[in-house]
Amino acid sequence: MIRVGSIGLGGMGMHQAKTFNQVDGCRLVAGADPSSDMRARFAETFPDTKVYDSPASLLAQPDIDAVVIAVPTGLHQPVASAALAARKPVLVEKPMARTVDQCHRLIEDSEKYNTLLMVAHCRRFDPHWKAWGEYVTSGKLGTPILWRHAMAGFGPGSWYMDHELGGGPMIDGAVHNYDFANWIFGEPESVLSSAIKMDPDVSAVDTCSAVIRYKAGHQMLVSWSWAARGNNLHDVIGPLGYIQFGTGNLTPPEEEGSHQYCCFTDREGEQSLITSDAGKDMYTYQAAHFLACIRGEETCLSPGTEAVKAIAVADAILQAGPEGRGGDLVIW
Ligand SMILES: NC(=O)c1ccc[n+]([C@@H]2O[C@H](COP(=O)([O-])OP(=O)(O)OC[C@H]3O[C@@H](n4cnc5c(N)ncnc54)[C@H](O)[C@@H]3O)[C@@H](O)[C@H]2O)c1
């Protein structure tokens, strides 16, 4: 039985704690957060656990085997490095860290202390995203592919909009896209990026558009604002067909459980639904995989050496965006 401690007990930390509390093969035993309100909420939800007011006090406990870290992104590296030094396997929330240099430090510490570092890129465990991703990788859309994703709305605020701690939507929201694109398209090659400042009161880039090119010839267009409302666009297009999110013009079958759908339209306009397993959610699959990696039963699907590539894309976009230019994409 793997005994798990949760570090950072805000929105995502509580979600992770609830997930680990119901996954087989582990027991949620502790939580840590400097906020007394967050500690009180955790203690009330999980009365059989211990609570600590700092990561250091939790990490000093010998009866904790592994940790889940969900603190503000700018703090991922110091907190995760301390956990690795204490030889506790780490599941750290996405984005892996705020900068590529911080990611390198985490990879070095994972190697130095010979301790697992997994990044919570939950989309790699999402049955829905995996299903449409397989359409892309199996060649049903042809090649090359253009993935277009535009999002707008008012963001979560707080540290998320601080340049150093959160970095805004082009890292925090779009990192899911960068990482998943790296998975299905392969190595990223270059970026073009252009930002617009809509909210003068935040230090992070709040609105930005970027085109990322991949060595295999594919591209991704990402445009994201956390400062304005707008329509969302999400599709994946190729010479043989395209995928849109939702059911298109089709009526979904009546099935048990909650399903998410994509619609594939071929060259002739014929539509078919892409369905996925409605069993468990992505966080549950992710937690089960983390535990299996600790037991040595599975090879990590989201190691730091992979997640750093998404931060390299984010870094290049954030550096180039304010000047509207091509960014230097440097992974190592
Ligand atoms: N995978 C996903 O779908 C997903 C969704 C939301 C957030 N996240 C990620 O999870 C992380 C946390 O986000 P959130 O929304 O829970 O933020 P939050 O602000 O709700 O919670 C962060 C918590 O960390 C605590 N904290 C601050 N400094 C700390 C320290 N040194 N040690 C321990 N705790 C500390 C704060 O008191 C707070 O309770 C971020 O990296 C975010 O990007 C991931």
Side-chain angles (χ1 to χ4, degrees):
M1 185 64 70
I2 296 169
R3 296 162 296 183
V4 175
S6 205
I7 300 180
L9 307 176
M12 199 57 208
M14 282 299 282
H15 190 78
Q16 288 284 18
K18 284 174 186 164
T19 300
F20 277 92
N21 197 41
Q22 49 83 29
V23 171
D24 289 341
C26 74
R27 193 152 56 86
L28 181 73
V29 293
D33 198 298
S35 155
S36 56
D37 287 349
M38 296 300 116
R39 292 200 301 277
R41 181 176 70 167
F42 183 84
E44 194 182 327
T45 313
F46 308 108
D48 297 332
T49 60
K50 292 184 182 157
V51 284
Y52 301 93
D53 62 6
S54 72
S57 5
L58 183 148
L59 292 170
Q61 305 306 316
D63 58 353
I64 295 171
D65 304 313
V67 292
V68 184
I69 297 172
V71 299
T73 303
L75 303 176
H76 283 186
Q77 184 267 311
V79 174
S81 283
L84 292 167
R87 292 190 162 74
K88 314 271 190 205
V90 166
L91 177 63
V92 63
E93 261 308 331
K94 54 50 62 179
M96 177 177 173
R98 179 58 187 77
T99 66
V100 171
D101 286 347
Q102 291 172 344
C103 293
H104 289 167
R105 171 72 196 272
L106 284 175
I107 291 166
E108 282 162 22
D109 286 342
S110 171
E111 287 167 1
K112 181 172 164 188
Y113 298 108
N114 193 22
T115 300
L116 173 68
L117 169 67
M118 174 169 158
V119 180
H121 271 300
C122 50
R123 293 298 186 188
R124 290 188 178 222
F125 304 92
D126 180 348
H128 178 54
W129 278 44
K130 276 166 74 175
W132 70 256
E134 277 160 20
Y135 261 61
V136 172
T137 52
S138 67
K140 287 194 174 71
L141 279 69
T143 190
I145 307 263
L146 172 60
W147 176 3
R148 305 184 298 180
H149 198 176
M151 300 284 286
F154 297 115
S158 71
W159 61 266
Y160 279 96
M161 294 308 288
D162 179 272
H163 180 68
E164 301 297 333
L165 276 179
M170 291 308 275
I171 175 164
D172 198 86
V175 77
H176 287 294
N177 297 57
Y178 310 148
D179 179 71
F180 202 74
N182 292 343
W183 208 27
I184 61 173
F185 291 165
E187 292 277 309
E189 185 175 53
S190 62
V191 308
L192 288 173
S193 173
S194 185
I196 306 174
K197 187 81 176 160
M198 291 201 184
D199 183 347
D201 296 328
V202 300
S203 57
V205 168
D206 61 50
T207 305
C208 186
S209 303
V211 179
I212 302 117
R213 295 172 66 98
Y214 296 84
K215 288 181 180 164
H218 310 301
Q219 287 191 14
M220 179 162 63
L221 166 67
V222 183
S223 176
W224 214 301
S225 178
W226 273 351
R229 286 189 201 283
N231 286 317
N232 296 330
L233 162 77
H234 199 183
D235 64 13
V236 188
I237 66 174
L240 300 184
Y242 72 94
I243 293 167
Q244 65 195 103
F245 288 70
T247 55
N249 297 328
L250 301 172
T251 310
E254 282 186 25
E255 292 176 295
E256 292 284 320
S258 94
H259 287 262
Q260 290 179 290
Y261 297 99
C262 286
C263 178
F264 174 69
T265 305
D266 70 14
R267 254 175 104 87
E268 281 70 46
E270 197 68 38
Q271 293 196 327
S272 53
L273 282 182
I274 304 174
T275 56
S276 53
D277 155 33
K280 298 167 188 152
D281 72 19
M282 57 187 168
Y283 300 107
T284 303
Y285 286 120
Q286 176 177 265
H289 178 67
F290 176 58
L291 298 169
C293 291
I294 294 172
R295 291 191 297 264
E297 295 165 2
E298 291 177 15
T299 303
C300 186
L301 289 174
S302 185
T305 46
E306 188 59 28
V308 61
K309 296 175 190 170
I311 304 306
V313 172
D315 252 9
I317 287 171
L318 291 178
Q319 281 165 26
E323 294 165 18
R325 59 172 172 83
D328 301 324
L329 210 168
V330 183
I331 297 170
W332 300 108

